[in-house]
Amino acid sequence: MSESPSTSASPYGTLPPASAPAQRKPVSLPRLLDMHARGEKITMLTAYDATFAAAADAAGVDCILVGDSLGMVCQGLSSTVGVTLETMRYHVESVVRGVQRVQGTTWIIGDLPYGTYHASKEQAFQSASVLMQAGAHMVKLEGGGWTTETVRFLVERGIPVCAHLGLTPQTVHALGGYRVQGKTDEAAAELKRHALALQDAGATLLVLEMVPADLSAELTRLLPRCATIGIGAGVDTAGQVLVLHDMLGVNLGKMPKFVHNFMADAGSVLGAMQAYVQAVKSKKFPVNHLHAW
Ligand code: KIV
């Protein structure tokens, strides 16, 4: 894996001063789709607070996902199911302040937690509004099939949507655990159907979690208007996402096989994030035989 470009003595790294000119234009939806069209890899990391969000922005991470994974890594819950909308609002606001503290260029995605978009499209709109008013640029929701009309409803009302297929942690109990999805021909065909329907409904990003590498490569080719973001889904997606605590090697539980610890060779958190950006952009991460199925 590549060396970290940062050699700061501080475990955090040195951020540019708040007054420094931004090194890049703010990431926007057209820019993300343009990156997908040009084959430039999109980098995404989760972050939950101002300090780590500021580092991600300074490191040039394209997108921050304020994921409901915070239930596990920040709150110590056993799954994401117990995370509330109010908790998500609090963390989105914190991340937005952190990003604004540095360059203010990173695209911020707020995760809609379990039970806040399932009852009706109107409920989904109310919940999404809370995260958008907290400063998110986009919301994420999990699942295919019934979510298609919810995505359409949100997009028609001006809310950009990131969908999420494959291993969907909010329904981990129904899926029978954290396991690879889309392995049989039937499951792969269903995943493809859902992905195409989500693109038609207007979803512009699609997280693919724990999906076989050849299937996510095929989906990436099939979806010109919806950039796939892989996590344990091989290298041939439009972009990659990792949970921050995993890529820093501070996960309290079992480290998923698809994770690389970027902190191990970096001098600082900022250096680890810069190494991640460099590794994803240059297609050195993930290494298919190590980090996918
Ligand atoms: O909540 C989260 O962090 C996520 C990622 C694992 C994609 O959904």
Side-chain angles (χ1 to χ4, degrees):
M1 198 52 58
S2 55
E3 287 282 314
S4 158
S6 168
T7 52
S8 166
S10 150
Y12 180 62
T14 309
L15 295 186
S19 57
Q23 300 295 305
R24 59 174 181 171
K25 286 198 192 138
V27 177
S28 63
L29 208 48
R31 171 126 166 250
L32 290 169
L33 288 175
D34 180 57
M35 287 166 74
H36 176 29
R38 286 186 292 105
E40 178 185 341
K41 297 286 178 184
I42 298 167
T43 55
M44 186 186 294
L45 274 182
T46 68
Y48 316 103
D49 69 14
T51 304
F52 285 95
D57 188 43
V61 172
D62 296 312
C63 307
I64 290 176
L65 170 63
V66 188
D68 63 357
S69 50
L70 64 84
M72 295 163 93
V73 298
C74 301
Q75 296 182 289
L77 300 173
S78 60
S79 79
T80 59
V81 177
V83 177
T84 66
L85 186 60
E86 181 50 25
T87 300
M88 291 307 302
R89 185 192 61 75
Y90 171 89
H91 286 277
V92 168
E93 282 180 352
S94 306
V95 163
V96 168
R97 283 191 289 264
V99 166
Q100 284 165 356
R101 153 76 180 71
V102 193
Q103 305 195 82
T105 57
T106 306
W107 180 258
I108 299 168
I109 304 162
D111 220 354
L112 288 170
Y114 182 72
T116 68
Y117 58 95
H118 302 69
S120 66
K121 294 180 288 191
E122 289 74 15
Q123 184 210 24
F125 178 74
Q126 296 297 342
S127 305
S129 309
V130 170
L131 300 189
M132 296 301 283
Q133 286 170 349
H137 301 122
M138 175 179 239
V139 298
K140 180 169 86 57
L141 51 79
E142 294 185 5
W146 67 271
T147 60
T148 303
E149 288 317 308
T150 302
V151 169
R152 197 184 310 282
F153 192 79
L154 297 180
V155 171
E156 280 172 357
R157 282 153 187 78
I159 299 180
V161 177
C162 173
H164 185 157
L165 293 175
L167 188 277
T168 44
Q170 292 174 3
T171 44
V172 63
H173 303 305
L175 295 175
Y178 294 93
R179 54 179 64 171
V180 185
Q181 302 296 310
K183 272 169 79 171
T184 63
D185 288 350
E186 202 185 354
E190 183 177 70
L191 223 145
K192 268 187 246 176
R193 259 198 321 277
H194 286 167
L196 285 165
L198 287 162
Q199 174 180 253
D200 283 348
T204 35
L205 294 182
L206 169 63
V207 169
L208 292 175
E209 181 164 356
M210 293 182 73
V211 170
D214 53 352
L215 176 58
S216 48
E218 187 184 351
L219 287 169
T220 303
R221 287 192 297 274
L222 281 174
L223 303 173
R225 290 176 282 111
C226 182
T228 57
I229 308 292
I231 173 162
V235 71
D236 291 318
T237 46
Q240 296 291 327
V241 58
L242 281 179
V243 169
L244 176 68
H245 294 57
D246 290 350
M247 62 82 77
L248 293 178
V250 293
N251 181 330
L252 290 175
K254 197 170 151 231
M255 195 66 88
K257 181 178 155 234
F258 54 77
V259 171
H260 178 79
N261 177 351
F262 285 87
M263 192 65 181
D265 298 320
S268 66
V269 168
L270 184 61
M273 290 179 176
Q274 287 168 330
Y276 169 71
V277 169
Q278 204 180 61
V280 172
K281 294 273 181 200
S282 63
K283 303 178 196 168
K284 290 192 179 125
F285 176 81
V287 180
N288 259 350
H289 69 281
L290 291 177
H291 300 124
W293 290 270

